[in-house]
Amino acid sequence: MLSIKRAASCITLFLVASCGDGEDPLHTVTAGMGPAGGPGGGPSSDPSGDPTDGGNTSAGTDTAGVDRGLCDAYLACVAAATPDALPTAETGYGPDSPCWQGSPGAAELCLMACEQNLATLGSVYPDVPACGGSSSTTSGGPEPTTTSGPSQTTGDDPSDPSASAGSLSEATTVAPPCDDPQPNGAPCFNEDCACLSGHCYQPIDSPSVCGECIDDDDCPGGGCSPPVDDQGSFCSTGGLGQACETDEVCGPAAPLCLDVYENNPIPDLPKTCSECASDADCPAQTPYCAPSFGSRLFAGHRACVAPGSLPNDAGCSLAPGGGAACSSGICSEVSLMGFIPLGLCGECTSDADCDPGTSCTAGEANPGAMKGTTCQ
């Protein structure tokens, strides 16, 4: 089965390659989207900013018109904190990565992933300057301050892989994440050994955390659901909107395991248990199958709704007749991250739907902040 980790890798690679059940080329990196992603909340409004304010990165390198500043900062952090993982991280986010060879939306996903990964490493290695922390140094003392457990020291030695990042000017000592397994909800940087449970779960929209499960195989009788608040992933009972990989783990009230975005171009993304796949699955009283978008990326479900029951900004189907479920009678197409089309109930589809002197303004789609079209 395709795990969440492999689904995250598919986001990075979907424009240039397909994701199968073989080896995951990006096992130690992610392509998630942070809760602040999207216009005004992440790299799309300031793609070159360093969220750590650590002062250890350059302004970023431009590749095909895209500023890779956040990903350059993330790679510098990996080089300093976990140099063995650098080749894999460079495959995912370096200059030759598929991130920079596809659409602007794909590049934005990668920048968001780098921001989240940098934040995760910063919490795991708080003493590494390249990750936004402060240096654990000495001024004439015999040894640098160290963290608990076996450790590795990085510094100015040219043979040290971290030296190539140009971000460590003094000796720094860090401990590998597997030396101190953490409880559910703690960051784990995609390393199962960093968790007491042995399960490091990679959400699509946030850094990896320890949890009860990774996929449905870990949950007899149910599916593996993403973390909620500060808790880790957990085994669900197959209820409406709960995560799934197959129909078998969904309960009778929501028997279909589906992607909430009906026209999603990315294969093999996380799915949830839904009531319907199309209008054909719905009864006469509630004849329209409409998506309900959650507060997180790829969260939500599809359910049967009554005619005219959906307010503006609610999800609606882009299938013919889908607007009949909206109180406005209009289901307008909005783009999530520039390349995933979805329907939102709105006021207009063109200026002709608006009063004289006003025009139809495009809607916005961001996890937790959906807004349909308006006449302004």
Side-chain angles (χ1 to χ4, degrees):
M1 282 184 188
L2 186 77
S3 69
I4 296 296
K5 288 183 180 180
R6 286 199 44 72
S9 300
C10 286
I11 290 183
T12 303
L13 300 176
F14 84 98
L15 286 175
V16 294
S18 61
C19 293
D21 292 327
E23 181 180 358
D24 185 355
L26 306 182
H27 178 73
T28 59
V29 295
T30 69
M33 176 177 176
S44 60
S45 61
D46 185 11
S48 62
D50 182 352
T52 63
D53 290 329
N56 300 306
T57 66
S58 65
T61 303
D62 186 278
T63 300
V66 177
D67 190 332
R68 302 195 323 267
L70 281 170
C71 287
D72 289 343
Y74 167 59
L75 293 174
C77 174
V78 173
T82 58
D84 290 344
L86 184 59
T88 304
E90 286 182 331
T91 298
Y93 301 112
D96 298 326
S97 164
C99 287
W100 324 118
Q101 300 172 21
S103 71
E108 183 172 341
L109 273 177
C110 291
L111 290 168
M112 291 176 181
C114 288
E115 182 179 21
Q116 293 290 351
N117 292 340
L118 184 61
T120 298
L121 275 184
S123 67
V124 175
Y125 299 108
D127 296 326
V128 178
C131 299
S134 58
S135 177
S136 300
T137 64
T138 60
S139 300
E143 294 179 354
T145 302
T146 62
T147 58
S148 60
S151 62
Q152 59 186 26
T153 301
T154 61
D156 294 330
D157 186 346
S159 64
D160 184 347
S162 68
S164 63
S167 56
L168 289 181
S169 58
E170 299 175 307
T172 302
T173 302
V174 296
C178 293
D179 282 2
D180 186 19
Q182 297 296 304
N184 290 349
C188 51
F189 193 48
N190 278 352
E191 295 290 347
D192 291 338
C193 60
C195 303
L196 291 171
S197 66
H199 297 306
C200 181
Y201 183 97
Q202 177 58 67
I204 281 294
D205 61 347
S206 59
S208 57
V209 295
C210 296
E212 186 177 350
C213 54
I214 293 176
D215 52 35
D216 289 357
D217 289 341
D218 300 321
C219 300
C224 185
S225 285
V228 177
D229 297 328
D230 295 328
Q231 305 301 312
S233 59
F234 63 95
C235 291
S236 65
T237 58
L240 186 67
Q242 293 184 332
C244 59
E245 291 178 334
T246 65
D247 292 347
E248 284 73 17
V249 303
C250 294
L256 302 176
C257 185
L258 301 169
D259 179 354
V260 68
Y261 304 123
E262 58 187 343
N263 297 311
N264 184 4
I266 306 176
D268 297 322
L269 285 175
K271 299 176 173 61
T272 60
C273 295
S274 289
E275 186 179 4
C276 56
S278 68
D279 293 353
D281 299 319
C282 297
Q285 298 89 339
T286 52
Y288 299 107
C289 184
S292 176
F293 303 117
S295 60
R296 300 180 60 167
L297 190 64
F298 305 113
H301 61 270
R302 301 188 210 180
C304 296
V305 299
S309 62
L310 299 177
N312 286 348
D313 305 335
C316 53
S317 175
L318 290 174
C326 301
S327 59
S328 66
I330 295 175
C331 183
S332 55
E333 182 174 329
V334 180
S335 178
L336 177 66
M337 297 179 295
F339 62 94
I340 299 179
L342 51 84
L344 294 177
C345 294
E347 297 178 357
C348 54
T349 57
S350 69
D351 292 350
D353 297 322
C354 300
D355 293 334
T358 63
S359 59
C360 187
T361 302
E364 297 180 1
N366 295 292
M370 300 292 186
K371 184 174 180 60
T373 55
T374 57
C375 291
Q376 297 183 7

